[in-house]
Amino acid sequence: MRIAMIGSGYVGLVSGACFAHFGHDVVCVDKDAGKIDRLRAGQMPIYEPGLDTLVEENSKAGRLSFTTNLADAVGDADAVFIAVGTPTRRGDGHADLTYVYAAAAEIARSIRGYTVVVTKSTVPVGTGREVARIVGETQPAAAFDVASNPEFLREGAAIEDFMKPDRVVIGVESDRARDVMSTIYRPLNLIQTPMVFTNIETAEVTKYAGNAFLATKISFINEIADLCERVGADVHDVARGIGLDGRIGRKFLHPGPGFGGSCFPKDTLALAYTAREANAPQTIVEQVIEVNNTRKKKMAQKVVDFCGGSVAGLTVGVLGLTFKADTDDMRDAPALDIVPALQAAGAKIVAFDPEGMDEAGKVLKDITFTKTAYEATTDADVLVVITEWHEFRGLDPRRIKQAMRRPRIVDLRNIFDPEEMRELGFAYEGVGRPKPRS
Ligand code: NAD
């Protein structure tokens, strides 16, 4: 199959490279000429483990190419995937569909033979129909169908998620489009990936329902963590105790500073908005949004309280800034709430993140970035762990203790063992763990 991928960001680039790996001919399009230049030069515009090798292999094999010329890519394609951003619209929480609709109109002008126009971006229910309307109106003679194929990959594990998905959801309403989509995903038949074929509205709702459910799970365990802190229980044991119940499942029960990233915050907002418009308010999801926003704000106060009520004049070492490990993505990261609040309270921030410092430097001000994690602990009055990068787990606490001015850690990801840290002489506070009995 010949595929055009419109938008070469986290989703478009990974999906395009993986489709090429499946054996299809893929052209990734982006309007950002700098991004396309870098990709052509073999440089990745984002950090995603394994992506550079996958792109290199498939480019060399002649199956993957990059262009800013949408018309050429679309004209030759059997399927065109729209993978542009759908950020939160200013003011009301709805998904901003400007990029999707602009792409749809551009695609319409360039369609030549029969083409399936697929929304891979996360889009509110009704968008697929609107894309069909735009394409049909822009080029009445176009032979096309629309399909909805929401993407469930996680940044940091995106390639594995795409190549070995739990399921593929495809909203299609014609046999011809269904055949094209089945052919594109045929390589996944080998590993017996469940294919969920639905109508277009169902596929669109499925994506939001999935993200809202996962966000709910995170907020749920975060609130249970708060309870654990108050009553001397350990949230990790609670999570294990409930997660082993097959009806609940163990994943997404890790307490932390609140969810962030490019998906959960905006997708929960967009779902709440769509649902209110449809007169079917999602009160649980609305609560989750509220709980999470409050939580992110409370984390800085947790650090202040831990330091005895003030961080004025203190050096706060920060480990991790990205919204989670294994990505450079800073969108809606908890660090964006925590760091400025600590600065406003008078703290000086010295921070290290393995991949996120370039992006963080664009959105956070007055931070001293260091070259290593240990450097960020040097002369710190308190150390705050915001992101659970694997390499932080291997840090030597003795070395950290020697480097710090005062051995105090607020571990918002529970990467350290509280007892071990306290035995080594740290004042230590995690999330949802019992405090030492006084
Ligand atoms: P992104 O911002 O990283 O990438 C979007 C890209 O589209 C940008 O490079 C932009 O320049 C390009 N673009 C915009 N309009 C264009 C046009 N008309 N022609 C060509 N290129 C255009 O966004 P992303 O994180 O890849 O997300 C894309 C969509 O996928 C969103 O709807 C998001 O919700 C969804 N999604 C994201 C993830 C994730 O983990 N990032 C996971 C699942 C779904």
Side-chain angles (χ1 to χ4, degrees):
M1 286 271 139
R2 284 160 309 178
I3 293 173
M5 186 65 65
I6 313 303
S8 305
Y10 284 88
V11 165
L13 184 54
V14 170
S15 306
C18 290
F19 280 146
H21 195 73
F22 288 175
H24 303 304
D25 286 321
V26 181
V27 184
C28 285
V29 182
D30 208 287
K31 62 181 183 184
D32 179 342
K35 203 174 254 190
I36 294 299
D37 286 346
R38 288 183 69 185
L39 283 163
R40 282 180 167 160
Q43 294 162 12
M44 294 305 105
I46 54 165
Y47 173 74
E48 180 61 43
L51 186 61
D52 46 358
T53 315
L54 192 72
V55 167
E56 191 190 339
E57 279 172 12
N58 285 284
S59 302
K60 272 196 183 139
R63 290 187 297 262
L64 180 62
S65 59
F66 302 97
T67 183
T68 52
N69 189 330
L70 182 143
D72 283 355
V74 169
D76 292 335
D78 300 300
V80 180
F81 286 76
I82 300 176
V84 301
T86 50
T88 300
R89 187 165 73 191
R90 263 177 187 276
D92 62 6
H94 189 50
D96 181 350
L97 297 170
T98 317
Y99 304 108
V100 173
Y101 293 151
E106 273 188 85
I107 291 164
R109 286 190 279 275
S110 309
I111 285 181
R112 289 207 288 262
Y114 174 77
T115 310
V116 183
V117 180
V118 191
T119 44
K120 191 161 252 322
S121 298
T122 302
V123 292
V125 62
T127 306
R129 300 262 167 238
E130 183 60 13
V131 167
R133 192 192 64 72
I134 292 170
V135 176
E137 264 183 19
T138 312
Q139 203 206 126
F144 76 98
D145 279 305
V146 291
S148 166
N149 174 217
E151 183 48 57
F152 297 94
L153 62 76
R154 292 163 299 169
E155 288 174 20
I159 293 168
E160 171 89 0
D161 284 350
F162 198 94
M163 302 275 204
K164 294 182 192 161
D166 292 336
R167 75 324 201 171
V168 173
V169 174
I170 298 174
V172 269
E173 291 171 6
S174 81
D175 290 344
R176 200 169 177 191
R178 187 183 164 122
D179 284 350
V180 169
M181 295 304 288
S182 299
T183 307
I184 289 173
Y185 280 103
R186 186 170 297 145
L188 295 180
N189 291 350
L190 275 176
I191 52 169
Q192 299 185 330
T193 304
M195 306 293 284
V196 182
F197 283 99
T198 70
N199 69 18
I200 289 166
E201 281 74 14
T202 307
E204 290 170 340
V205 171
T206 303
K207 171 65 191 175
Y208 282 99
N211 271 2
F213 191 85
L214 293 172
T216 304
K217 244 182 141 179
I218 295 174
S219 282
F220 176 83
I221 202 66
N222 280 341
E223 286 205 313
I224 293 289
D226 287 347
L227 174 65
C228 288
E229 278 177 21
R230 300 274 184 288
V231 299
D234 188 326
V235 70
H236 281 265
D237 294 337
V238 174
R240 192 168 138 77
I242 61 173
L244 286 167
D245 184 328
R247 294 169 301 178
I248 295 173
R250 293 172 69 169
K251 293 186 178 161
F252 278 75
L253 289 178
H254 302 284
F259 59 77
S262 64
C263 293
F264 290 174
K266 82 171 173 64
D267 292 348
T268 45
L269 273 174
L271 176 61
Y273 181 91
T274 311
R276 277 197 307 275
E277 290 280 289
N279 211 11
Q282 299 295 301
T283 46
I284 295 173
V285 178
E286 294 195 8
Q287 275 301 305
V288 166
I289 295 166
E290 182 63 31
V291 165
N292 195 59
N293 286 342
T294 310
R295 181 168 193 85
K296 287 204 244 180
K297 292 197 171 62
K298 270 196 328 206
M299 289 299 110
Q301 191 58 43
K302 184 177 169 82
V303 177
V304 173
D305 292 346
F306 177 74
C307 293
S310 171
V311 290
L314 299 191
T315 298
V316 178
V318 170
L319 292 183
L321 294 162
T322 52
F323 84 93
K324 66 172 182 178
D326 288 328
T327 181
D328 59 351
D329 202 337
M330 283 297 298
R331 289 178 281 186
D332 273 322
L336 298 179
D337 283 296
I338 299 167
V339 167
L342 291 174
Q343 288 171 324
K348 176 177 173 248
I349 305 291
V350 180
F352 173 76
D353 187 286
E355 296 291 341
M357 291 192 290
D358 284 351
E359 288 302 310
K362 296 177 192 165
V363 283
L364 290 168
K365 298 288 160 240
D366 302 323
I367 297 186
T368 306
F369 291 111
T370 62
K371 287 201 174 66
T372 67
Y374 285 118
E375 270 180 68
T377 70
T378 305
D379 292 332
D381 296 291
V382 59
L383 184 66
V384 182
V385 181
I386 300 184
T387 315
E388 71 287 19
W389 283 92
H390 214 60
E391 69 171 78
F392 298 157
R393 294 174 201 276
L395 294 172
D396 177 359
R398 288 180 182 80
R399 201 169 146 191
I400 294 177
K401 190 174 171 223
Q402 268 178 355
M404 291 182 74
R405 194 174 293 141
R406 290 187 63 178
R408 301 191 289 191
I409 297 189
V410 180
D411 181 0
L412 299 178
R413 299 289 188 167
N414 291 346
I415 65 169
F416 294 113
D417 177 16
E419 274 179 35
E420 187 192 342
M421 298 311 274
R422 287 184 190 125
E423 269 166 27
L424 285 170
F426 283 94
Y428 173 91
E429 183 162 309
V431 177
R433 325 278 322 242
K435 303 210 167 114
R437 293 191 187 276
S438 46

